[in-house]
Amino acid sequence: MDRIPQGKDVSREQTIARFAKPSARDAAGHALTSWLTVSGAVVTTHLTVPRHAVFPVTVDPAVQAASGTSACPATVQASVYSNGQGGLTLGCQPWRAVGFNDYRLMDYAAPNAFVQSSTQNQGCGQIVDDEDQTWETQQIAATGSNVIRVWFYQKYYQDYLANNPSGSGWMPYIQLLQQAKAAGLRVIPVLVNEWNQCDREDGSLNDGNALSVNFYKSGYTSSQFGYQYSAKAWSAMVAREFSPNSPDAAAAGLWRQIAFYQVVNEAEADNPSSAASTPAADQGLMTKEDGSVACAPGGAAVLNAFAQDMGSTIKSAYVGSSGATAPLISFGSMGIGQCGVSSSVADPTGAANVDDFGEVYSANSIDICDVHDYDAEDQSDPSYQWYGIPENSLEQRIADCGTKPLVITEAGVEANVSAGDTQHHNADASPTPDSLQQRAQYVSDKLAAAFNDGVAGYVLWDKIMASSASTWNVANDQALGYGSYGSGTAQGAGSQDPALCVVKDFTASGSWSQGSPGPAANSACSHWDVPVPGPTNHYSFIDGTAEGWGKNQGWGDLGVAADTTQTHTGSGSGSLKITVAGNPTLDTSTTVAPGTPKFNPYSEIEVESASVALLTPGSTVTMWVNEGSNTCQGLSFKPVLRLNSGWDYSAGTSVQASIGSWTALQITVPSVDASTGAAVTAVNAVGLEVDVPSLTSSTWDTSCEGNSVYVDDVSW
């Protein structure tokens, strides 16, 4: 359809696409009347549906691209398939969102921490560095996944500015989207958390409290929880920053990486609590989740109004005055029995319950329905009633969504699951090859059943850097983590996880087709064709900071300082400069002769991070050192590891300071702590010890002061 106003000069304009008259038919094959209208940059299809029409109704406007142009958008779109179900498309082709949650990717430490140390311990996982972030996104992409779901909470913006007053608060989000782009992944950013983890700037609120219905009524329009901006204002800021007309040059083009926005993680409509732990300023906004809190009457209507307002806010801020196509919006809920987003849920007080999933998702600014599957791990039947609640099934949720696509944005199956298990029955058991195999088969069955039933996406919880079979996974991630592949590497120690091969089979072209059962969980991972990586260089010190390294022993030993300004020496683009800054102090408890005390002969700089915590027995750490000026021949160095929960440590071979050039120091994580005889279960820190041997008198060699040691390329 060419629509050219009379008298308009089109000689310098370019035709992008032409729209033919749409065809429309009902399920019985009867032709229906349809037509197009144009308003600005928006083309709208209209349809007349008579009373005798048989549903579902199909409308198929024909779009013809002009020569040299494309009428197929490069962003994810919502569509209605020929069977009447909602789906997703990309480049005019059906598209399924398949991938992993990885909330730790935003807990980024360098350059300059994104998270304040005073409030970082909020269940967000341990701090990762830039190479961890790169490695993890590459691992996810290697499974054939096309999406990652991450937190875009206000906390990272505010904390980054607190640590970097002259910087841009958008740095954490830009960094993440750039990493995703490099790995070929799209992102599902979540803007608000129902739970306190990761999304409270006021550390006093990290007490297990969750949002209540009053937040969704009006609390979201004012600043809360130590934040500068309200949840509503924050959502508009994010949408504006990552839009086609972004005012930030650094963010330009990154809007293409966003699959769709999600307003909330697991919204519920609980009654407010008067728990004493809730700060007075936030009374009525949070509720104690102890299992006794009743659902708020009319909670679905409250969530519907909230969803409508937030969705409209995001779209308006994104579009602005540019006429850009608004992004897709998902509301965000578990939807499997929770207050306000369920069906036929009995109110704990005995009152009538009018909560309804369909009512919430009828908000016209919401494009995508969302549920989480954490109930029976061995159940893949879409008609299965979650938690035994009638009309509380995946099948019902798909029906509730109508023509809107439904995406399962979290689905957890434990690595230590056994046949017939439901949720968390083996919470304390160690994963085994057999349990990993069982999980892989359950994942395969769930993926196949969901896609065969019309689900538009499936995002697993969650990707971790540790091995799936590690004790770390059980202790820190409730055994729900999907680890790395391969064996023998620090981050991938343990056997391959066959669940990753299952995902690879689903995403590989031609390996699975709609209507088929899921692929068999191959224990040999024969379909896994990505090589196991070598050592990862975790600290290269090229960003002008110490990247978390510092002096962590403080009892007055040999004075050293890790400079925050990197100094280039020898090969490489930068290194960590360690300066001998002061005298060692007298140790009056130890003498070298009657009445002659001994000096404490050493000091240590070290680093703790998520990647350090994932080191396992047998892993080898390599670091390069250079003594530089050689002004103090008495110094020597050795790599050290701090083990288990105390200060016990393992030390590598000592090297004299007269090296004068770059030398590699190595240390291997032992299986037994030699100082205690206990098995090594954790590595808490990697460090470099600076020693002054043979200090047997009260005379300190002052020529050692100001002497520098350089460390570079710490890898494992």
Side-chain angles (χ1 to χ4, degrees):
M1 183 182 87
D2 290 320
R3 184 180 184 275
I4 304 173
Q6 187 175 4
K8 179 176 177 62
D9 180 10
V10 296
S11 60
R12 297 185 178 181
E13 296 194 5
Q14 181 182 14
T15 300
I16 299 299
R18 293 184 174 89
F19 292 79
K21 180 180 178 180
S23 62
R25 294 184 180 277
D26 70 0
H30 301 125
L32 305 179
T33 302
S34 59
W35 68 98
L36 299 173
T37 61
V38 179
S39 177
V42 178
V43 178
T44 304
T45 302
H46 300 267
L47 177 68
T48 298
V49 182
R51 290 184 178 180
H52 65 266
V54 180
F55 286 88
V57 170
T58 303
V59 184
D60 185 21
V63 182
Q64 299 172 335
S67 177
T69 66
S70 174
C72 296
T75 54
V76 179
Q77 305 290 311
S79 301
V80 179
Y81 294 153
S82 59
N83 64 358
Q85 283 188 308
L88 298 173
T89 61
L90 180 61
C92 296
Q93 298 298 315
W95 185 79
R96 289 193 297 256
V98 181
F100 291 86
N101 286 267
D102 199 337
Y103 61 92
R104 298 174 187 87
L105 287 177
M106 289 298 290
D107 275 4
Y108 182 60
N112 302 318
F114 289 178
V115 184
Q116 288 279 52
S117 59
S118 61
T119 56
Q120 70 184 26
N121 186 20
Q122 292 186 303
C124 300
Q126 294 164 305
I127 300 297
V128 300
D129 59 34
D130 56 343
E131 287 168 333
D132 293 332
Q133 198 181 54
T134 300
W135 194 85
E136 195 67 352
T137 53
Q138 290 174 345
Q139 282 274 292
I140 294 173
T143 67
S145 295
N146 52 33
V147 294
I148 50 174
R149 181 172 175 263
V150 297
W151 305 151
F152 265 37
Y153 300 150
Q154 188 176 168
K155 179 175 179 58
Y156 305 105
Y157 179 93
Q158 190 156 311
D159 282 0
Y160 188 78
L161 284 179
N163 291 326
N164 309 273
S166 61
S168 166
W170 296 112
M171 172 62 181
Y173 314 90
I174 290 172
Q175 164 91 8
L176 187 281
L177 289 170
Q178 288 174 336
Q179 293 274 23
K181 180 179 181 180
L185 298 169
R186 281 179 165 76
V187 176
I188 303 171
V190 186
L191 305 179
V192 178
N193 199 4
E194 164 76 15
W195 317 107
N196 69 314
Q197 286 88 352
C198 314
D199 192 24
R200 306 285 188 269
E201 186 61 14
D202 184 345
S204 67
L205 299 177
N206 188 24
D207 57 4
N209 286 336
L211 300 176
S212 81
V213 71
N214 286 351
F215 174 85
Y216 297 108
K217 284 181 178 178
S218 60
Y220 73 97
T221 62
S222 59
S223 58
Q224 305 289 341
F225 315 129
Y227 285 143
Q228 181 179 357
Y229 304 104
S230 69
K232 181 175 180 178
W234 171 244
S235 66
M237 289 169 61
V238 175
R240 190 176 301 111
E241 174 70 10
F242 299 108
S243 69
N245 51 316
S246 173
D248 185 354
L254 293 177
W255 55 273
R256 295 184 179 90
Q257 296 309 122
I258 295 175
F260 55 86
Y261 284 96
Q262 191 162 88
V263 179
V264 191
N265 174 53
E266 300 186 336
E268 298 183 7
D270 298 331
N271 264 330
S273 169
S274 57
S277 59
T278 304
D282 297 311
Q283 287 285 346
L285 291 176
M286 305 178 73
T287 181
K288 196 70 175 179
E289 287 292 296
D290 60 2
S292 63
V293 178
C295 293
V302 172
L303 294 181
N304 172 276
F306 168 82
Q308 178 61 39
D309 190 23
M310 289 288 278
S312 297
T313 297
I314 293 168
K315 291 185 176 184
S316 296
Y318 183 96
V319 172
S321 59
S322 69
T325 301
L328 297 180
I329 310 291
S330 166
F331 173 55
S333 62
M334 280 194 265
I336 52 176
Q338 291 70 39
C339 295
V341 279
S342 187
S343 299
S344 304
V345 181
D347 189 295
T349 65
N353 193 328
V354 295
D355 297 338
D356 178 66
F357 184 92
E359 180 178 354
V360 173
Y361 283 92
S362 67
N364 59 26
S365 69
I366 300 299
D367 308 290
I368 297 172
C369 295
D370 171 70
V371 296
H372 293 173
D373 179 8
Y374 285 105
D375 188 19
E377 296 175 316
D378 63 338
Q379 291 292 333
S380 58
D381 183 356
S383 66
Y384 171 75
Q385 296 178 354
W386 284 311
Y387 299 111
I389 301 172
E391 301 180 24
N392 194 46
S393 65
L394 176 61
E395 193 172 62
Q396 180 61 47
R397 293 293 165 266
I398 294 173
D400 290 339
C401 293
T403 58
K404 292 183 179 181
L406 183 144
V407 177
I408 299 176
T409 54
E410 289 186 24
V413 180
E414 294 168 323
N416 52 18
V417 71
S418 57
D421 265 347
T422 54
Q423 187 186 18
H424 303 324
H425 276 195
N426 287 333
D428 298 323
S430 297
T432 65
D434 286 343
S435 69
L436 290 175
Q437 187 70 20
Q438 182 65 70
R439 173 169 75 165
Q441 193 60 60
Y442 282 159
V443 169
S444 180
D445 294 343
K446 282 177 175 287
L447 280 165
F451 289 143
N452 284 333
D453 214 48
V455 167
Y458 205 100
V459 189
L460 295 166
W461 187 276
D462 74 317
K463 190 69 178 65
I464 60 173
M465 288 186 291
S467 166
S468 303
S470 66
T471 55
W472 187 95
N473 186 16
V474 177
N476 296 276
D477 219 44
Q478 296 179 292
L480 293 168
Y482 293 83
S484 56
Y485 59 84
S487 60
T489 63
Q491 290 180 315
S495 60
Q496 294 183 359
D497 190 335
L500 300 181
C501 300
V502 165
V503 175
K504 185 79 170 179
D505 274 336
F506 271 94
T507 57
S509 176
S511 62
W512 181 83
S513 59
Q514 196 86 8
S516 301
N522 192 314
S523 59
C525 282
S526 61
H527 300 288
W528 189 261
D529 54 5
V530 178
V532 176
T536 298
N537 184 13
H538 292 277
Y539 300 96
S540 52
F541 306 108
I542 61 175
D543 56 21
T545 73
E547 295 188 8
W549 285 71
K551 180 179 176 181
N552 282 334
Q553 293 186 355
W555 50 76
D557 43 350
L558 174 66
V560 296
D563 293 355
T564 55
T565 300
Q566 310 314 309
T567 301
H568 168 73
T569 183
S571 61
S573 58
S575 55
L576 177 64
K577 181 180 179 181
I578 305 167
T579 303
V580 178
N583 295 356
T585 57
L586 293 175
D587 180 358
T588 57
S589 66
T590 305
T591 61
V592 295
T596 304
K598 183 179 180 180
F599 285 93
N600 279 329
Y602 69 92
S603 189
E604 181 181 316
I605 59 109
E606 63 178 36
V607 66
E608 302 175 58
S609 75
S611 53
V612 168
L614 300 179
L615 282 166
T616 56
S619 302
T620 298
V621 178
T622 301
M623 61 182 72
W624 291 80
V625 296
N626 189 333
E627 195 251 344
S629 60
N630 290 318
T631 58
C632 179
Q633 300 299 318
L635 294 182
S636 63
F637 320 105
K638 56 186 174 185
V640 294
L641 302 171
R642 184 149 52 87
L643 305 174
N644 295 342
S645 59
W647 282 99
D648 297 318
Y649 73 96
S650 176
T653 303
S654 178
V655 176
Q656 292 296 314
S658 57
I659 49 179
S661 62
W662 287 104
T663 299
L665 304 183
Q666 290 189 324
I667 183 170
T668 299
V669 180
S671 58
V672 176
D673 182 349
S675 61
T676 64
V680 173
T681 58
V683 177
N684 296 323
V686 169
L688 178 70
E689 184 176 299
V690 182
D691 290 307
V692 182
S694 303
L695 266 182
T696 58
S697 72
S698 59
T699 302
W700 164 249
D701 182 0
T702 57
S703 69
C704 290
E705 293 207 37
N707 190 72
S708 297
V709 182
Y710 300 90
V711 180
D712 203 359
D713 292 339
V714 183
S715 62
W716 55 84

